[in-house]
Structures are given as structure tokens and as C-alpha cells.
């Protein structure tokens, strides 16, 4: 048996697979996000431990004998979070999460230093780890003075599991401290942030062994004494391992809290000016590019809260047949935007409201706004040298066929829907645990699932969607002028 632990923003998922990669069972633990000020987003790392205990306890309750057969654990986690520890590994402050944008000034200052784009291959976004630590240095000097180690969220979980300070390439690539081409920490980037290599964990590939499960945890969970913990991956790279998106030309669109258009690459292809993320993949010798939008299902969940309806009720209200855009446009910039805008200050809006604008037309606009944000990402990936012919849909939002029709038509490419199964980040993490424990061939293990159906673009509405996208695209500079 092999266990995948996925530390997300809203919870921890524990997923168990057997040697044939059949999903045996899963358990979850919930998490909350605190937002004490505009642009802030934080979690207490102690809550990650509690949620992991809850997730494993749920799994143990349903499959106690199966846990005894676990040989490997893989980790996946939300990226970019700054978990700050003192010399005794005590947490110094709440972790600043991936969607925390308070450090936009520090990010701009770091990004103005050309070595960051040259070595990291990326813009220094406010959500990345480096500017957050510089923000602490500037605003909480008493905490910075005690700082001895910076860990990403899943790597803090690893510290609790194994006692080791270790990260891996895919997650480390999102800190702005990694030389992504060389797959190693950069002394120059660390020094430019007021740090040095001693503050960093050691690095392994995602398929490597990073340590062994502590005896006390193994005993409490009913596992053996020789359980290895794999390097693992950042959440998107882990999802790619779960989806089999590990080779050139393979891509997926993720409709989660945030949205991701992810393409695997066999070479390092940075193009920071496009605001595309170019990161190491979880498999050795591979990289990937991502266009990232900060609010995908988060936008629909926000609107559902406003309307006092469940998201599924709102999408069901639209029916099965794709509608032409109504004239109402939604910009999904609820917490700023990454690709291609790199704008932490911009905020969302509805445009084109009129007396006939009902709840359904606004729901439709929200789905279209997210789809058009993915179209921005598609153009950005093309600028960075990656052209996509089709994508596979993953994430909670992919359960809405209407939304998938909207995305397929907005992008003008087919969207494949995998056969029933759990192919997300927790499954990818479990695969990495299997590879590390058995020294298995990564590409043989990370195979793509069967496709259940393909959602084709609705060519009858191509012209209507093109016109609606132009309106969407033109609204940002106008709104930027109002909000600046």
C-alpha cells in the first residue's frame, strides 16, 4: 500500500492506493483561512498537523489492516507559503499562503533586480515565498531576527513526519530562490533576499526518498517501521503526476480554488515576460509551464454565497445547452491576478448589467469570466513557446459539463474528461510514494487515465465567444485606470 497526503488550502486529503494503483480509500481533514487584513491570507501550521491526523484517522477507521501494509508516503501541498521556524523548529508566525498579496511592494523590488528573472525563470509574484520573507524582514524585524529555517507548507508536514528539513524541485521552484534550470538553490537570489543557504531545506527530486516516517507516528497509525517518505511535489505538479501529464505535449486545465493551465515540457523554457510560471516538474529532468489564475471555483463559490445558492444549483440552472454570452462580463480578479497581468491590486467586477440581467445570466458571466482568464493563459503559454491542441479537465469545477463546454468554446480546443476515478494531487502524491519505495520507473507509474468523454468547442458560438472575449480583454485596462 502507498499513501498520498495532499495539504490543500481548504483541507488535507489522505488517499491510499495498492501496488496496482487501485484507490483503496481516502479520508479528509478540514482547514480554514484567516484574512485579518485586505490582501492577507494565513493559516496556522499546527492546523495542518491536526487536519492530517484527522484525515489519516478517517482512513484508519475504514481500512486499519490496509494501513499496516503502507511502504511509501508521498506529499503534495499548496505552493509558495512561507512557514518560518526558529532554531528549535518552532513556528514564528502564521504561514502566509499562496494567495497572500501583502508583499507586492517587496515583490516589485526583487523583480526589478534582473537576476531573479534570469535565474528563477519567473516574475517575482507577490504570492511567491521570497517577497513574503522580505516583508517580514521589513515589517516584523523581531520575528526575522529569530528566523532560522523557511519551509513550504508540505515540507513543514514532512518535518513533522520525518524530522527532516527537505524540499523538492517542483515546490522549491515557486519560491524565487531556486535556479530552475540548474535545479538548485541560488546563493545570489538568497543573498538578494537577505538570506543564505543555511535557511533552506536540502533538495531532492520528487521521486526520491526524503526520509522515513517517525516510529511514534508509524505506531499510532498502525504502520510498519520502514515507511519511506518521497520528495513529493507542489500541488499542480502532483496533480500532473496523477493525470499522467509528465511528457511533452500533455496538458490539463484545473478548476480548483485557483485555476491552472498546465503543460509538461522536456526542457527548461523560461519566458518571464509572459507571466507564465516555468517550474521544475516532480520527475527528474522534466519541467512544466503554467498559466495561473487566482480565482476559479473560488469565484463561483463567492457568487454562490452572495446568492445563497449552492454552486451546483447555479450551474444546473443554466441547463445542458451552451448559451451565447449575454452581454454581462465578469472579471474574476477577486484577489488580484497572476497570468498574464501580474497585478495584485486589481479587483473583480461585473460589467454590462441591465434590467434583464437575472441570476442565471450572472452565473453564466462568472463561468465565462473564468474561461476567458484561461484563454489569457493559453495565449501566454503560446508566447512562451507552448501550443496546446487539447487539455484534460481536473478539479471540482470540472463536474459541471456546462462549464467545460464554456471552456472548450472559449479556448477553441477539445476538453477531455477522464473516466471516473480520483486522479488529483493526493493520487499523484501516492504515485510518488510508490516510485520512491519501489524504485519504480516514474513514467511507467505516471500513466494517463482513460478518457470517458470529450467536450468539443461549440463552433456555432465561436464568433459570439470571440466578441465576448474581446470585451473581457478590453475591460482590464479600463478598470485598472479607475482603480489606480
Amino acid at each position: 500500500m502507498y499513501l498520498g497526503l495532499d495539504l490543500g488550502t481548504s483541507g488535507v486529503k489522505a488517499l491510499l492506493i495498492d501496488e496496482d494503483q487501485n484507490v483503496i480509500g481516502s479520508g479528509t481533514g478540514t482547514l480554514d483561512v484567516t484574512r485579518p487584513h485586505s490582501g492577507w491570507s494565513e493559516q496556522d501550521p499546527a492546523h495542518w498537523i491536526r487536519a492530517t491526523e484527522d484525515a489519516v484517522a478517517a482512513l484508519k477507521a475504514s481500512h486499519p489492516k490496509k494501513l499496516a501494509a503502507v511502504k511509501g508516503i508521498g506529499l503534495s501541498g499548496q505552493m509558495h507559503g512561507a512557514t518560518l521556524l526558529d532554531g528549535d523548529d518552532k513556528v514564528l508566525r502564521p504561514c502566509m499562503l499562496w494567495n497572500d498579496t501583502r508583499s507586492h511592494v517587496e515583490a516589485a523590488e526583487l523583480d526589478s533586480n534582473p537576476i531573479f528573472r534570469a535565474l528563477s525563470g519567473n516574475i517575482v509574484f507577490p504570492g511567491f515565498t521570497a517577497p513574503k520573507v522580505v516583508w517580514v524582514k521589513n515589517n516584523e524585524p523581531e520575528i526575522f531576527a529569530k528566523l532560522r529555517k523557511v519551509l513550504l507548507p508540505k515540507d513543514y508536514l514532512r518535518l513533522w513526519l520525518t524530522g527532516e528539513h527537505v524540499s523538492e524541485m517542483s515546490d522549491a521552484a515557486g519560491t524565487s530562490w531556486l535556479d530552475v534550470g540548474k535545479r538548485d538553490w541560488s546563493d545570489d537570489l538568497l543573498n538578494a533576499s537577505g538570506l543564505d543557504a543555511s535557511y533552506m531545506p536540502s533538495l531532492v527530486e520528487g521521486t526520491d526518498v526524503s526520509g522515513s516516517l517517525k516510529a511514534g507516528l508509524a505506531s499510532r497509525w498502525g504502520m510498519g517501521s520502514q515507511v519511506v517518505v518521497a520528495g513529493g511535489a507542489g500541488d499542480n505538479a502532483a496533480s500532473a503526476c496523477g493525470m499522467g501529464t509528465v511528457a511533452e505535449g500533455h496538458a490539463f486545465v484545473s478548476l480548483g480554488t485557483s485555476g491552472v493551465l498546465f503543460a509538461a515540457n522536456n526542457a527548461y523554457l523560461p519566458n518571464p515576460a509572459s507571466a507564465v510560471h516555468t517550474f521544475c516538474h516532480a520527475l527528474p529532468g522534466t519541467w512544466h509551464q503554467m498559466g495561473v489564475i487566482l480565482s476559479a471555483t473560488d469565484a463561483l463559490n463567492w457568487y454562490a454565497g452572495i446568492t445563497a445558492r449552492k454552486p451546483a444549483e447555479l450551474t444546473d440552472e443554466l441547463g445542458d445547452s451552451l448559451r451565447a454570452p449575454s452581454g454581462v462580463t465578469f472579471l474574476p480578479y477577486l484577489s488580484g491576478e497572476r497570468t498574464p497581468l501580474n497585478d495584485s491590486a486589481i479587483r473583480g467586477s461585473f460589467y454590462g448589467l441591465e434590467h434583464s440581467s437575472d441570476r442565471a445570466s450572472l452565473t453564466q458571466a462568472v463561468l465565462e469570466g473564468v474561461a476567458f482568464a484561461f484563454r489569457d493563459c493559453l495565449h501566454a503559454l503560446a508566447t512562451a513557446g507552448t501550443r496546446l491542441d487539447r487539455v484534460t479537465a481536473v478539479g471540482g469545477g470540472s463536474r459541471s459539463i456546462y462549464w467545460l463546454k464554456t471552456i472548450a468554446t472559449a479556448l477553441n480546443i477539445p476538453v477531455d474528461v477522464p473516466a471516473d476515478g480520483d486522479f488529483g494531487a493526493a493520487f499523484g502524491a501516492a504515485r510518488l510514494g510508490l516510485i520512491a519505495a519501489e524504485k519504480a520507473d516514474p513514467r511507467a507509474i505516471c500513466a494517463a487515465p482513460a478518457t470517458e468523454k470529450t467536450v468539443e468547442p461549440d463552433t456555432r458560438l465561436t464568433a459570439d465567444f470571440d466578441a465576448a472575449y474581446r470585451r473581457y480583454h478590453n475591460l482590464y485596462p479600463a478598470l485598472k485606470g479607475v482603480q489606480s
Side-chain angles (χ1 to χ4, degrees), residues 230-290:
D235 51 4
N236 290 302
S239 293
C241 292
M243 289 298 302
T245 309
V246 296
E248 188 83 29
H250 294 183
F252 69 78
V253 59
S254 174
L255 278 164
T257 303
S258 59
V260 174
L261 191 59
F262 182 110
N265 304 107
N266 293 335
Y268 175 50
L269 300 171
N271 189 350
S274 67
V276 165
H277 297 6
T278 302
F279 292 158
C280 302
H281 209 323
L283 275 60
T286 59
W287 286 261
H288 66 83
Q289 293 175 325
M290 295 190 299

Side-chain angles (χ1 to χ4, degrees), residues 48-77:
W48 303 337
I49 305 303
R50 185 262 306 153
T52 302
E53 291 274 31
D54 289 347
V56 175
L59 195 54
K60 182 179 179 181
S62 55
H63 300 282
K65 294 182 180 179
K66 301 292 186 182
L67 280 184
V70 169
K71 295 181 64 179
I73 297 174
L75 302 178
S76 164

